[in-house]
Amino acid sequence: IGCDEAFDLAVYAHRGVERIAWEPPSAPSPCTGRIATVTFVPSQIPQAELLEFMRRHALSLEVKP
């Protein structure tokens, strides 16, 4: 199982997450420099809780507006 698949499985385990869209890798390693857009339902998981949840399953996390 790849790093993106492991992240997807962990994050999709929460019912508040609707979609994870990955951009193609920009680095030679498929596990670094990846950008994902996560769509979620705020009434089911607050943004702060989602970010903490994702931090537990990512190598690093940067939030963009």
Side-chain angles (χ1 to χ4, degrees):
I1 190 167
C3 54
D4 53 353
E5 291 172 293
F7 180 85
D8 285 357
L9 289 172
V11 175
Y12 274 131
H14 196 290
R15 292 180 179 248
V17 176
E18 288 190 332
R19 182 170 186 262
I20 302 171
W22 290 93
E23 291 186 17
S26 60
S29 169
C31 294
T32 60
R34 297 295 306 270
I35 297 173
T37 301
V38 179
T39 305
F40 67 102
V41 180
S43 63
Q44 292 184 7
I45 183 171
Q47 182 178 12
E49 185 180 330
L50 175 62
L51 292 174
E52 181 56 37
F53 188 72
M54 291 190 314
R55 278 187 181 91
R56 284 187 257 141
H57 299 287
L59 297 174
S60 68
L61 182 69
E62 179 181 333
V63 179
K64 295 187 179 187

